[in-house]
Amino acid sequence: DTGVSQDPRHKITKRGQNVTFRCDPISEHNRLYWYRQTLGQGPEFLTYFQNEAQLEKSRLLSDRFSAERPKGSFSTLEIQRTEQGDSAMYLCASSSMTDRSSYNEQFFGPGTRLTVL
Amino acid sequence: AQSVTQLDSQVPVFEEAPVELRCNYSSSVSVYLFWYVQYPNQGLQLLLKYLSGSTLVESINGFEAEFNKSQTSFHLRKPSVHISDTAEYFCAVSDGFGNEKLTFGTGTRLTIIP
């Protein structure tokens, strides 16, 4: 198991374009989280899934943001009509509700750094 | 709503000196508290957590944190720091035992001076 992976690691796009990020959680982790981190700030929660069900999405920053986890494994985060203010690091994390040894721990991926020109 | 305050954005410390990184939280419900660490060019990693029971919790690399309910604090301490402790440290709170959303502070950058 190599941990949480995210693709791409870096994305540069022009304002108005759509972007999609992928997150592969640790295998058999049933919870998956998305956070956003801007410079000088801590991670900010966006949304999370249990298996394929999206349990909370009220923190998604606008209706331009959407996330899916169609088969309960990998997840995608899409930003439509990107704006310069969307430039940030997008972090994915996963956790297990069944592994007692790490029940309360969220394991983070390396992040995708988005730059909107 | 929950919130976390880390008042010190940067803390420089001489090697082998003690350090305390401050964290205060506000929450209207039961809280579960965490310290995450981000080493240069790496992802966030859990350092230690308080869920219940003993208010003093320890990590495997010598850090400890004490939950103080009356002062709503969860300060992180280490009696003697090493160069390898250079990192950014984030305090976080969850009302869902760690398996729901985490609310993070703004982070403290710990720099160890040789």
Side-chain angles (χ1 to χ4, degrees), chain A residues 93-107:
Chain A
S94 68
S95 71
S96 170
M97 296 292 286
T98 57
D99 181 353
R100 280 192 164 188
S101 66
S102 62
Y103 179 77
N104 314 101
E105 182 174 353
Q106 294 185 23
F107 294 80

Side-chain angles (χ1 to χ4, degrees), chain B residues 2-114:
Chain B
Q2 297 177 320
S3 67
V4 175
T5 302
Q6 293 180 251
L7 287 174
D8 305 307
S9 60
Q10 297 188 58
V11 173
V13 181
F14 285 103
E15 193 173 13
E16 298 184 1
V19 68
E20 179 178 80
L21 306 183
R22 295 180 293 168
C23 171
N24 288 88
Y25 69 91
S26 67
S27 175
S28 58
V29 297
S30 297
V31 294
Y32 307 98
L33 293 158
F34 304 82
W35 277 98
Y36 277 80
V37 60
Q38 188 169 32
Y39 297 106
N41 300 314
Q42 295 187 30
L44 283 161
Q45 304 171 34
L46 180 66
L47 185 61
L48 47 74
K49 60 189 176 187
Y50 169 78
L51 304 175
S52 64
S54 173
T55 57
L56 185 65
V57 290
E58 299 177 350
S59 72
I60 58 173
N61 58 353
F63 281 94
E64 64 179 30
E66 186 161 19
F67 170 58
N68 188 318
K69 188 174 182 179
S70 63
Q71 297 187 5
T72 60
S73 68
F74 191 55
H75 300 331
L76 181 70
R77 296 188 294 261
K78 189 172 185 179
S80 176
V81 295
H82 188 267
I83 288 286
S84 61
D85 295 323
T86 296
E88 187 137 23
Y89 293 79
F90 293 93
C91 183
V93 63
S94 170
D95 62 359
F97 220 46
N99 278 304
E100 296 179 7
K101 67 179 176 70
L102 292 170
T103 300
F104 286 88
T106 51
T108 298
R109 184 171 299 277
L110 177 62
T111 302
I112 310 302
I113 305 166

